[in-house]
Amino acid sequence: MLGFLRKPLVVTVEINMNLVALTVMGLISRLWGLSYPRAVVFDEVYYGQFVSLYLKRIFFVDDSGPPFGHMLLALGGYLGGFDGNFLWNRIGAEYSMNVPVWSLRLLPALAGALCVPLAYQVLVELQVSHCAALGAALLILLENSLITQSRFMLLESILIFFILLAVLSYLKFYNLQKHSSFSGSWWFWLLLTGVACSCAVGVKYMGLFTYMLLLTIAGLHFWHMIGDQNLSNVALMCHFLARGLALVIIPVAMYLSFFYVHLTLLYRSGPHDQIMTSAFQASLEGGLARITQGQPLEVAYGSQITLRNVLGKPMQCWLHSHTNTYPIRYENGRGSSHQQQVTCYPFKDVNNWWIVKDPGMQQLVVSNPPRPVRHGHIVQLVHGITTRYLNTHDVAAPLSPHSQEVSCYIDYNISMPAQNLWRVEIVNRESDTDVWKTILSEVRFVHVNTSAVLKLSGASLPDWGYRQLEVVGEKLSKGYHQSMVWNVEEHRYGKSQEQKEREVELHSPTQMDISKNLSFMAKFTELQWKILTLKNEDTEHKYSSSALDWITMDTNIAYWLHPTSGAQIHLLGNVVTWASANIAALVYVCLSLWYLIRRRRKIYDIPEGSPDSHRFAAPWLSSLQIFASQEHVQCPDRSLVFLCLPRLLHIQPCDLRGALAVCH
């Protein structure tokens, strides 16, 4: 029974010294002197603000991409004990002692260091020689631009790490497919492919290129499997479901989880609230939530409300009026109605309050029980302070002459009767009997007499309008734009019939003890849409450049300048690496065309038994583009390798040309 003790216990371990050496050199090149310079370098001024907001749990929106990369940077700050208190206001600002510079830069540096052995492993899995794989890894190790990006609090090295990890995982999975399908290691590498893809997309949307590449290649591989008569229908279905789970369902679930963690961490009101809807703002702690928490849900006749335009551009604003009237004549000679001005005002103000009135009754208070306003009901909107009715008529708007002027009606005893009836249309209704709800309902106001829709034109009025935003009546057309949609933000049930008492009531805050929380999917959908649409594509950053400028090395970026010594840090590629990449790409294309022409002439330079590996490697190595893109720089970090070149040239593994033909 104890016979196993008679022999020694032997453990055999195989260590790839190439891999170990590359990993050590990668760590040294990226981690040595990581805290230098102890000052804000380039986009650290941008990402550092988000790190501080994470650590303070303050909500923000970054239009450059998903939140996973920002959370990783914030994790470095959290592990280093950073409290988020630093003013990220300019490049070159010296870090205070409470900022753990080394910790903040650690994760990008580790990711950049691990890219070196990952690149080596990718080439090994593509079945090229270890010498050629080592040459490619050394070029990545010595690449100036990758070293520069890895040593600071930036996202590029993290993105490249997850891209390479996804490619490596799929290659290992594919190679295991041939002899050990559905084994533990097969499942591990397949699942890791999906996880790495979701992480790459979660760092920056440039990761979508790699994800789509892997999905395309996985689809092609499965298409070839369908033609394999040795596989049963059940086996094919199992393969299909496994790939669907790992490459579609898991990445989507993980992508949603990034936003779930993001929204869970950032529960406090912050500087970016104003671009979100009122419902989203009300779900955050502080800010609007302190005002709107627990307001009456259903808008009723007699309700006192503020109306916020849903568009939020050029800035958030509320329907507003004041005692001033439109000038009798505008500067261009056109006349106006000389009625009371109606604008959209970008600040909280008592003149933003309106009363929802039943046209058939005179009272301006809520009855008991309240009579809710529903979709399709006709209402009058009475300005709370001046008690004048919201009105529009066939008079040109001051800045938008093709639209109607919107005003609060003043009876001048002339032939211009009041036209102050509006139909409430709930845009996001579930049925035609839906009740108008605070914050949740998005409504249009359609003028009964002219069918014009109350709309924010976005134009800024002249001095006589105090530079407030113009509101017009737009003729009803098919479809709608967000500038025509409004939602109730602040709401109370009016109790005072007398004007003086009502003014006191309008000045007082409204709070009850009922909360309105959006679901995660509602918040995710809104936040995702803002990220995709918020960026202003009409503006160009001063550091922007074209991809060709980087391929030819005609440009660089100054990351940092020492204020006294003149020491500088620049983002610039390695001449040897980039020149060899350009030459290898050109030679590869020429050789491919040459061999295709010769094959067409029935001249087979490459043996019939060998092209499979070439056909597999070539699309990978020519399609795999690692984009280290920032919001203002389009900088392709080049194809990883063109290893088909040395193989097509029949170069021996240790031939120097094999290494030179490997391009980063």
Side-chain angles (χ1 to χ4, degrees):
M1 183 175 180
L2 300 178
F4 70 92
L5 295 177
R6 298 175 183 175
K7 296 182 180 180
L9 181 64
V10 178
V11 177
T12 303
V13 180
E14 292 185 2
I15 299 177
N16 186 331
M17 295 307 298
N18 286 351
L19 199 61
V20 173
L22 289 171
T23 303
V24 171
M25 288 189 292
L27 290 171
I28 292 174
S29 64
R30 270 67 173 177
L31 294 178
W32 179 78
L34 191 60
S35 296
Y36 179 83
R38 193 175 173 82
V40 179
V41 176
F42 196 53
D43 269 356
E44 287 186 341
V45 72
Y46 177 71
Y47 295 116
Q49 297 176 34
F50 301 137
V51 170
S52 291
L53 291 173
Y54 266 118
L55 296 175
K56 294 179 179 180
R57 303 294 191 266
I58 296 175
F59 175 77
F60 68 88
V61 179
D62 178 22
D63 58 10
S64 68
F68 182 57
H70 302 82
M71 288 193 288
L72 290 178
L73 297 179
L75 176 62
Y78 175 78
L79 294 177
F82 184 39
D83 56 8
N85 292 320
F86 181 77
L87 185 60
W88 308 86
N89 58 351
R90 63 181 179 88
I91 297 174
E94 293 290 331
Y95 284 121
S96 56
M97 295 307 298
N98 69 309
V99 181
V101 181
W102 191 86
S103 179
L104 287 169
R105 295 173 177 171
L106 177 60
L107 289 180
L110 288 176
L114 293 177
C115 286
V116 180
L118 281 177
Y120 173 84
Q121 285 287 83
V122 166
L123 301 186
V124 170
E125 292 299 321
L126 284 172
Q127 302 175 5
V128 304
S129 68
H130 285 271
C131 184
L134 182 61
L138 287 175
L139 289 177
I140 289 182
L141 173 68
L142 302 175
E143 171 53 39
N144 306 345
S145 59
L146 292 181
I147 294 176
T148 304
Q149 290 175 337
S150 300
R151 292 178 56 82
F152 302 109
M153 188 173 54
L154 307 173
L155 294 180
E156 281 67 36
S157 60
I158 299 175
L159 171 65
I160 296 172
F161 167 77
F162 284 119
I163 287 175
L164 289 175
L165 181 60
V167 172
L168 174 62
S169 301
Y170 186 83
L171 289 173
K172 284 185 171 291
F173 155 75
Y174 177 80
N175 291 331
L176 286 170
Q177 171 74 30
K178 303 171 184 177
H179 50 79
S180 57
S181 296
F182 298 104
S183 63
S185 56
W186 183 91
W187 274 108
F188 173 79
W189 291 112
L190 177 59
L191 293 173
L192 186 58
T193 302
V195 170
C197 283
S198 62
C199 290
V201 177
V203 172
K204 282 195 173 185
Y205 284 127
M206 302 306 297
L208 276 171
F209 289 100
T210 300
Y211 182 45
M212 298 309 297
L213 172 66
L214 291 174
L215 282 181
T216 301
I217 293 178
L220 291 174
H221 289 164
F222 184 74
W223 179 255
H224 290 303
M225 291 176 64
I226 294 176
D228 188 352
Q229 297 297 322
N230 295 323
L231 292 174
S232 65
N233 293 338
V234 175
L236 282 174
M237 182 57 66
C238 290
H239 278 285
F240 177 78
L241 293 176
R243 286 161 173 78
L245 171 66
L247 301 181
V248 178
I249 296 177
I250 287 180
V252 171
M254 286 195 62
Y255 184 78
L256 290 173
S257 71
F258 298 151
F259 280 87
Y260 182 83
V261 175
H262 175 76
L263 292 170
T264 301
L265 290 174
L266 307 183
Y267 60 86
R268 291 175 179 163
S269 175
H272 295 172
D273 292 7
Q274 62 181 14
I275 65 174
M276 310 304 291
T277 64
S278 300
F280 195 105
Q281 293 183 50
S283 68
L284 300 173
E285 180 182 294
L288 181 64
R290 291 182 299 178
I291 302 173
T292 61
Q293 183 179 11
Q295 294 179 145
L297 179 60
E298 296 183 348
V299 177
Y301 290 108
S303 286
Q304 299 170 356
I305 62 174
T306 63
L307 290 167
R308 180 180 185 265
N309 191 265
V310 171
L311 180 62
K313 294 180 180 179
M315 62 191 74
Q316 67 168 350
C317 62
W318 293 264
L319 190 66
H320 175 94
S321 186
H322 40 244
T323 56
N324 300 73
T325 59
Y326 291 108
I328 297 177
R329 289 201 175 275
Y330 302 122
E331 293 180 356
N332 58 9
R334 290 190 299 110
S336 77
S337 66
H338 199 46
Q339 302 282 335
Q340 183 172 301
Q341 296 175 17
V342 171
T343 65
C344 204
Y345 189 51
F347 301 99
K348 300 284 187 181
D349 189 84
V350 69
N351 281 310
N352 297 344
W353 283 93
W354 300 81
I355 301 171
V356 181
K357 180 181 175 297
D358 185 347
M361 304 180 67
Q362 293 301 317
Q363 66 180 28
L364 296 178
V365 296
V366 176
S367 60
N368 189 15
R371 294 185 300 120
V373 180
R374 300 182 182 273
H375 170 75
H377 280 192
I378 306 298
V379 301
Q380 291 173 314
L381 293 177
V382 182
H383 188 240
I385 297 299
T386 64
T387 67
R388 300 194 185 278
Y389 289 63
L390 186 69
N391 183 85
T392 187
H393 34 227
D394 192 17
V395 175
L399 302 180
S400 306
H402 297 292
S403 301
Q404 294 181 181
E405 175 192 270
V406 175
S407 62
C408 280
Y409 183 73
I410 302 175
D411 188 3
Y412 289 118
N413 196 23
I414 59 176
S415 58
M416 184 180 285
Q419 299 181 12
N420 52 32
L421 299 179
W422 300 85
R423 184 172 64 254
V424 176
E425 292 188 355
I426 303 176
V427 175
N428 59 343
R429 64 186 182 277
E430 295 180 357
S431 69
D432 288 342
T433 59
D434 273 12
V435 174
W436 185 7
K437 295 178 181 177
T438 305
I439 292 178
L440 303 178
S441 295
E442 297 181 349
V443 302
R444 291 193 308 174
F445 296 99
V446 181
H447 191 237
V448 173
N449 299 81
T450 64
S451 297
V453 180
L454 190 68
K455 176 185 177 181
L456 169 68
S457 75
S460 181
L461 294 170
D463 291 339
W464 54 258
Y466 303 100
R467 299 293 174 181
Q468 297 173 17
L469 301 180
E470 181 190 42
V471 174
V472 301
E474 186 76 14
K475 288 293 186 179
L476 183 61
S477 59
K478 293 183 179 179
Y480 67 93
H481 188 264
Q482 283 188 322
S483 59
M484 301 179 180
V485 182
W486 307 79
N487 71 272
V488 173
E489 189 168 270
E490 297 180 66
H491 177 210
R492 62 160 67 85
Y493 282 163
K495 300 177 181 178
S496 304
Q497 184 68 32
E498 294 297 326
Q499 176 61 16
K500 290 185 178 180
E501 295 178 0
R502 189 184 307 119
E503 289 183 14
V504 173
E505 190 175 42
L506 291 172
H507 279 88
S508 62
T510 63
Q511 286 194 15
M512 295 185 187
D513 196 18
I514 308 171
S515 62
K516 307 179 189 66
N517 292 323
L518 285 179
S519 66
F520 162 69
M521 287 307 299
K523 296 174 73 174
F524 163 75
T525 303
E526 180 177 344
L527 180 57
Q528 179 67 87
W529 179 250
K530 290 294 183 183
I531 290 175
L532 295 176
T533 60
L534 188 60
K535 183 173 291 187
N536 186 359
E537 297 181 357
D538 295 332
T539 59
E540 184 174 309
H541 196 280
K542 62 180 180 180
Y543 293 127
S544 63
S545 57
S546 67
L548 184 61
D549 291 336
W550 289 90
I551 293 175
T552 57
M553 298 188 67
D554 288 336
T555 189
N556 69 90
I557 298 177
Y559 268 23
W560 174 77
L561 173 66
H562 194 280
T564 56
S565 68
Q568 300 182 38
I569 297 175
H570 283 256
L571 179 68
L572 184 65
N574 186 304
V575 176
V576 175
T577 304
W578 291 58
S580 63
N582 294 333
I583 295 172
L586 181 61
V587 173
Y588 169 72
V589 172
C590 294
L591 280 176
S592 298
L593 292 174
W594 172 250
Y595 281 129
L596 284 174
I597 294 172
R598 288 176 63 83
R599 272 183 90 80
R600 194 66 177 166
R601 299 291 297 169
K602 308 299 182 183
I603 302 173
Y604 298 98
D605 299 289
I606 302 174
E608 286 294 332
S610 61
D612 287 343
S613 62
H614 297 154
R615 286 198 299 267
F616 176 58
W620 274 96
L621 301 176
S622 58
S623 300
L624 180 58
Q625 296 287 336
I626 305 173
F627 291 93
S629 173
Q630 301 169 13
E631 65 171 346
H632 49 271
V633 179
Q634 298 177 355
C635 170
D637 273 346
R638 313 309 314 281
S639 297
L640 182 63
V641 283
F642 289 91
L643 261 299
C644 297
L645 181 60
R647 303 192 69 170
L648 291 174
L649 290 172
H650 303 289
I651 296 174
Q652 296 300 316
C654 293
D655 192 329
L656 178 60
R657 289 176 297 168
L660 291 177
V662 179
C663 65
H664 158 235

